[in-house]
Amino acid sequence: MRDVARGDKDAFATVYDAVVDTVFGIAVKIVRDRAQSEEVTQEVMIDLWRQASRYRPEQGSVRTWVATIAHRRAVDRVRSAQASADRDHATAVRDQQRPYDEVAEQVQTRLESEQVRRCLRGLSELQRQSVTLAFYQGLTYREVAEALRTPLATIKTRMRDGLIRLRDCMG
């Protein structure tokens, strides 16, 4: 391990061959997914290369030290996956729309329709006719002017004033 800590690639290859099966076995046992276990094994081996100087022979064998690193990495992977699944579930629950309530929708539509009718009654006759032809029959300003036999500029002014009054009435 001292040679690995100094950057000796041959020493690392020897240590790698000696412990990689143990690391992979621990990862598979904890993670229970081969692809994820391979990633954990790779991460542990990279840690082994980078942290070789932290190994203390008086605290245990290389295999025990590496097994501890592997166990911690595998548990972290499982916890991370569980936390991600929990976040996804919480998001799905939060984003779930309330069921469609047809009765409430009909009541809301009826109330809005009544308010529109009430507000339309507050307009002058020319304003009401102009707005009704434009919005309910889809006529253009020019077509409304022709239908009501009124100058185009007058229709535009009446519609603008009528829409402002409707907006104020509707809130």
Side-chain angles (χ1 to χ4, degrees):
M1 285 303 292
R2 274 184 247 123
D3 291 341
V4 174
R6 283 189 237 125
D8 185 335
K9 292 178 184 177
D10 293 330
F12 178 72
T14 302
V15 173
Y16 181 96
D17 291 340
V19 300
V20 72
D21 291 336
T22 302
V23 171
F24 184 70
I26 291 169
V28 167
K29 189 173 185 179
I30 294 171
V31 177
R32 299 187 187 277
D33 176 77
R34 184 170 182 83
Q36 293 288 321
S37 298
E38 289 172 355
E39 288 183 23
V40 168
T41 301
Q42 182 178 1
E43 291 169 6
V44 170
M45 300 315 289
I46 290 170
D47 284 348
L48 179 66
W49 173 256
R50 290 180 179 163
Q51 299 178 19
S53 63
R54 298 174 84 190
Y55 170 68
R56 300 290 175 255
E58 63 276 3
Q59 294 179 345
S61 69
V62 172
R63 188 175 303 281
T64 303
W65 183 64
V66 172
T68 302
I69 294 171
H71 183 269
R72 289 180 182 157
R73 275 286 183 163
V75 168
D76 287 348
R77 179 63 61 107
V78 170
R79 287 180 180 156
S80 175
Q82 185 61 48
S84 178
D86 291 348
R87 279 191 305 274
D88 290 345
H89 177 71
T91 300
V93 167
R94 203 173 32 249
D95 290 345
Q96 189 178 35
Q97 294 180 347
R98 286 184 272 172
Y100 177 72
D101 186 346
E102 188 174 332
V103 174
E105 184 71 25
Q106 287 176 355
V107 169
Q108 181 68 29
T109 301
R110 185 169 291 138
L111 289 173
E112 289 171 356
S113 296
E114 288 174 15
Q115 185 177 10
V116 168
R117 281 192 290 275
R118 182 179 49 79
C119 291
L120 280 171
R121 284 192 297 268
L123 301 180
S124 71
E125 185 61 29
L126 186 56
Q127 288 173 335
R128 184 174 39 257
Q129 288 175 337
S130 300
V131 170
T132 302
L133 289 172
F135 284 93
Y136 292 114
Q137 293 184 12
L139 301 182
T140 64
Y141 285 120
R142 184 171 309 286
E143 292 169 335
V144 170
E146 291 170 4
L148 296 178
R149 293 187 175 95
T150 306
L152 179 61
T154 302
I155 292 297
K156 288 182 177 182
T157 301
R158 295 294 185 253
M159 283 185 67
R160 179 182 50 86
D161 293 345
L163 290 173
I164 290 170
R165 287 178 68 182
L166 279 175
R167 180 195 65 200
D168 292 343
C169 178
M170 298 289 293

